[in-house]
Amino acid sequence: MQYVIQAQSVTKVFNGFTAVNEISFKLIAGECLGLLGPNGAGKTSTIRMTYGFSPMSSGRLSVFGLDIRTHWREIKGRLGVCQQENSLDPDLTVQQNLEVFGRYFNIPAGATREKARKLLEFIALDHRRDAQVSELSGGMMRRLVLARALINDPELVILDEPTTGLDPQSRHQVWEKLENLRSEGLSILLTTHYMEEAARLCDRLIIMDHGEILVEGKPAELIIEHAGRNVVEIAQPTDELREFIRSRDLTHDDLGRRILIYGDENDQLFDIIRERFCKENCSLRGSTLEDVFLRLTGRQLRE
Amino acid sequence: MKLSSSFDISWRFLRVWQRNLIVYRRIWKVNFLPPLFEPLFYLLAFGMGLSTMIGTIHYAGVDISYLTFITPAILAINIMYNAFFETTYASFVRMYYQKTFDAMMATPLSLGEVITAEIIWGATKSLFATVIMLAVLSGFGLIHYPDGLLIIPLAFLGGVAFGSVGMLFTGIVPSIDVFNLPIFLFITPMFLFSGTFFPVENLPDWAQHLALALPLTHLVRLTRHLCLGLVGVDLLLEAAYLLVFCLIFYPLALISMHRRLIQ
């Protein structure tokens, strides 16, 4: 198996606070690996170490089989990064943003111009090549950031929340572009808050919290393992229902005004519950990644 | 201990310098106006307004008009302003508001290369402005040639010195408003007391010693002697001061920016 990223016991400590605590993971060539976690889980710290922006406190990290501590320049030359915050150059036009960025990789000017033209076509911004960055919409800017990350023909792209703050149309457009890239065999490491995004794009997921990896696996397998196939949701549950759940030892989350019951043979269970405990206030639905996420990381706010 | 990758500096820094040049060229008309008109304003104010009240000044054994006395100071002050304001306000905006440095750090550039390019760019702006100003001032016969041509490389050296100090402050200030402090405590006193508008010798002894510690005093002496065509070996000492100043403040600028940005 060929690994694009190999992280071993990677740790990041900021002023005594452990943001990332001895995590180990691998990214296989050609796969899309997703990092999920609430705010402050250590996702951004992890990927910042991966692209050599932030030095590790301890551990070993290699990208393309090269040590990030010693071969950072070569590694950075072979990967593309979409940072969370918009870092497009507002002093330059759309086209210049790509060309100037390409020059940072020491790509010859002629080659970057040609590449920039192709990328603007790819992200459907060729008609805005001479526009100022500030004239673009949020979705256009994000597509331009993505194009910029591809200027050096990277073997790996690292995306930190690529669709946060976008409207549904723009989000789907970014997803489409990312799916195109993935089908071409590009390796992708991405962080996201959107479970739909993770389920749709990622081959494998890592769910993190408090700087540690909680679980790792394929989206569908994680759902079955941690939230079953189906969920019965009951609003305004009665004490009799709670008693019933206890007696049957059902996997559930009691949120006070709502109870979620996870299971595999819920079809039957649903009928029983509906008949005995509620007539209107219960529903049956398929389990989702969001159920897994909330079960593992808890429901309290992270601020 | 292995030195951080921030301090690995190659010629690749020129790519960042090129980026600034591209932006400068896009608005070159606006950029060319201040160095074109500012010397004219000074000449008007001091030449017609003030010099009739002052007459001549005895400087380095010769009697010169007040206008001749302050012309080199105008050049030196502009060298200081161009580089210092570039690596303070302009660099801070790129670093903090535009996240330009963050984007660069995701490419094979090191932080040291980005910072070096910013400082060298500030010095380049000093050089451009100086060339334009020299052309304007030459029209009034205020520059002695060919000695005056040495002011062009000197503008670059002075630009690196003031650009490095500016970048050091950029690494330290918590917000952009705090730049008022180094301007009030460092730039304005130099503007007034570095032998710019009156000879340093007019100051009391203690203030003379203080003025000698300031880089602008040495830059003004250099531009003044070159403008007047009074070139001697002693000028090398003045240039050496500026060089040492760069050798101290350039590494300090790198360290302060590393501390600020690399976490």
Side-chain angles (χ1 to χ4, degrees), chain B residues 160-196:
Chain B
V160 173
F162 288 108
S164 297
V165 155
M167 192 50 89
L168 170 62
F169 287 125
T170 299
I172 298 168
V173 292
S175 76
I176 198 163
D177 306 309
V178 180
F179 281 131
N180 288 333
L181 214 60
I183 288 168
F184 162 66
L185 292 173
F186 178 61
I187 297 295
T188 306
M190 275 199 288
F191 171 78
L192 294 171
F193 302 113
S194 295
T196 41

Side-chain angles (χ1 to χ4, degrees), chain A residues 72-103:
Chain A
W72 58 273
R73 207 189 282 275
E74 188 187 340
I75 292 169
K76 289 208 284 183
R78 291 166 64 185
L79 54 79
V81 182
C82 290
Q83 287 150 332
Q84 206 176 101
E85 286 168 307
N86 174 20
S87 62
L88 290 169
D89 201 324
D91 298 327
L92 300 171
T93 64
V94 168
Q95 170 117 4
Q96 282 178 326
N97 256 282
L98 299 180
E99 289 181 10
V100 168
F101 207 73
R103 302 292 284 147

Side-chain angles (χ1 to χ4, degrees), chain B:
Chain B
M1 197 188 110
K2 196 189 146 305
L3 210 57
S4 162
S5 59
S6 296
F7 303 105
D8 186 334
I9 296 163
S10 74
W11 286 104
R12 200 187 283 252
F13 83 83
L14 285 173
R15 301 297 180 209
V16 178
W17 181 88
Q18 278 177 330
R19 178 253 170 226
N20 289 338
L21 182 67
I22 289 170
V23 176
Y24 180 86
R25 277 185 6 209
R26 288 189 66 192
I27 45 166
W28 66 272
K29 284 174 194 151
V30 180
N31 284 319
F32 276 25
L33 288 181
L36 211 56
F37 285 99
E38 233 174 65
L40 294 176
F41 292 166
Y42 274 99
L43 293 184
L44 199 68
F46 291 100
M48 294 177 70
L50 201 62
S51 72
T52 47
M53 299 168 68
I54 294 171
T56 59
I57 284 192
H58 194 69
Y59 181 80
V62 285
D63 281 326
I64 53 174
S65 72
Y66 187 59
L67 204 59
T68 313
F69 180 77
I70 62 149
T71 293
I74 299 169
L75 284 163
I77 288 166
N78 251 274
I79 292 169
M80 170 173 83
Y81 278 176
N82 268 286
F84 188 81
F85 284 101
E86 185 64 25
T87 58
T88 48
Y89 288 104
S91 291
F92 192 90
V93 166
R94 285 192 280 274
M95 168 191 78
Y96 188 83
Y97 296 102
Q98 303 186 353
K99 309 282 172 204
T100 311
F101 296 178
D102 284 0
M104 289 170 178
M105 294 289 291
T107 73
L109 288 161
S110 71
L111 179 66
E113 285 157 356
V114 175
I115 301 311
T116 302
E118 293 281 302
I119 293 170
I120 297 296
W121 172 248
T124 308
K125 274 188 84 175
S126 295
L127 185 143
F128 287 169
T130 300
V131 169
I132 296 166
M133 288 180 73
L134 277 175
V136 175
L137 293 167
S138 299
F140 295 86
L142 289 164
I143 315 288
H144 185 278
Y145 286 106
D147 303 330
L149 287 176
L150 281 173
I151 295 174
I152 297 171
L154 179 64
F156 190 80
L157 176 64
V160 173
F162 288 108
S164 297
V165 155
M167 192 50 89
L168 170 62
F169 287 125
T170 299
I172 298 168
V173 292
S175 76
I176 198 163
D177 306 309
V178 180
F179 281 131
N180 288 333
L181 214 60
I183 288 168
F184 162 66
L185 292 173
F186 178 61
I187 297 295
T188 306
M190 275 199 288
F191 171 78
L192 294 171
F193 302 113
S194 295
T196 41
F197 302 105
F198 58 89
V200 176
E201 290 72 29
N202 291 12
L203 291 167
D205 267 353
W206 63 268
Q208 280 190 42
H209 290 304
L210 213 61
L212 276 178
L214 297 172
L216 190 64
T217 307
H218 301 272
L219 188 61
V220 169
R221 274 195 188 171
L222 282 161
T223 54
R224 189 164 283 144
H225 278 81
L226 291 172
C227 281
L228 295 170
L230 302 171
V231 182
V233 186
D234 52 326
L235 289 192
L236 286 176
L237 261 169
E238 308 284 351
Y241 171 95
L242 288 178
L243 198 65
V244 169
F245 192 87
C246 293
L247 291 175
I248 293 169
F249 283 93
Y250 168 63
L252 287 179
L254 288 180
I255 292 167
S256 78
M257 289 303 283
H258 172 78
R259 285 200 175 158
R260 173 166 204 136
L261 294 178
I262 304 298
Q263 284 166 351

Side-chain angles (χ1 to χ4, degrees), chain A residues 128-142:
Chain A
R128 304 298 301 272
R129 68 176 71 244
D130 296 319
Q132 294 296 305
V133 168
S134 55
E135 298 165 17
L136 301 181
S137 70
M140 287 173 167
M141 284 192 201
R142 209 56 71 89

Side-chain angles (χ1 to χ4, degrees), chain A residues 43-254:
Chain A
K43 306 183 297 289
T44 297
S45 297
T46 302
I47 65 168
R48 280 186 164 195
M49 287 187 278
T50 312
Y51 70 85
F53 185 94
S54 169
M56 287 177 283
S57 301
S58 67
R60 281 184 59 80
L61 212 164
S62 65
V63 183
F64 311 123
L66 303 166
D67 191 331
I68 191 74
R69 285 180 202 258
T70 52
H71 293 71
W72 58 273
R73 207 189 282 275
E74 188 187 340
I75 292 169
K76 289 208 284 183
R78 291 166 64 185
L79 54 79
V81 182
C82 290
Q83 287 150 332
Q84 206 176 101
E85 286 168 307
N86 174 20
S87 62
L88 290 169
D89 201 324
D91 298 327
L92 300 171
T93 64
V94 168
Q95 170 117 4
Q96 282 178 326
N97 256 282
L98 299 180
E99 289 181 10
V100 168
F101 207 73
R103 302 292 284 147
Y104 299 154
F105 290 87
N106 272 347
I107 304 168
T112 23
R113 188 158 307 135
E114 180 54 24
K115 184 75 187 168
R117 197 186 58 74
K118 281 186 187 153
L119 286 170
L120 286 178
E121 239 166 69
F122 173 66
I123 58 164
L125 270 186
D126 35 345
H127 61 298
R128 304 298 301 272
R129 68 176 71 244
D130 296 319
Q132 294 296 305
V133 168
S134 55
E135 298 165 17
L136 301 181
S137 70
M140 287 173 167
M141 284 192 201
R142 209 56 71 89
R143 268 144 57 206
L144 186 56
V145 170
L146 178 62
R148 193 181 64 175
L150 299 171
I151 194 79
N152 58 325
D153 282 318
E155 296 156 59
L156 164 70
V157 281
I158 296 177
L159 309 150
D160 197 359
E161 298 186 17
T163 62
T164 297
L166 296 187
D167 63 22
Q169 284 83 357
S170 305
R171 177 175 305 154
H172 279 271
Q173 204 161 13
V174 169
W175 286 348
E176 230 170 80
K177 299 302 168 201
L178 291 177
E179 280 171 333
N180 282 348
L181 294 171
R182 206 183 63 156
S183 66
E184 286 166 19
L186 190 68
S187 305
I188 300 174
L189 175 66
L190 81 90
T191 75
T192 181
H193 282 305
Y194 300 112
M195 300 304 139
E196 194 192 345
E197 180 166 297
R200 177 162 165 184
L201 295 176
C202 298
D203 300 299
R204 232 154 36 85
L205 294 174
I206 288 172
I207 299 182
M208 289 182 77
D209 202 6
H210 304 298
E212 294 181 2
I213 292 177
L214 300 177
V215 292
E216 192 180 332
K218 294 190 165 79
E221 290 173 4
L222 287 178
I223 294 172
I224 290 172
E225 189 177 339
H226 298 280
R229 286 180 198 281
N230 295 301
V231 181
V232 181
E233 266 194 78
I234 305 110
Q236 276 121 28
T238 56
D239 289 339
E240 291 90 65
L241 177 66
R242 289 199 170 87
E243 185 52 44
F244 171 76
I245 290 168
R246 247 195 308 277
S247 67
R248 292 256 186 142
D249 198 17
L250 299 170
T251 313
H252 72 287
D253 282 322
D254 190 340

Side-chain angles (χ1 to χ4, degrees), chain A residues 8-23:
Chain A
Q8 286 165 25
S9 311
V10 170
T11 297
K12 182 73 202 178
V13 182
F14 296 106
N15 308 320
F17 169 74
T18 306
V20 177
N21 190 10
E22 293 201 21
I23 68 165

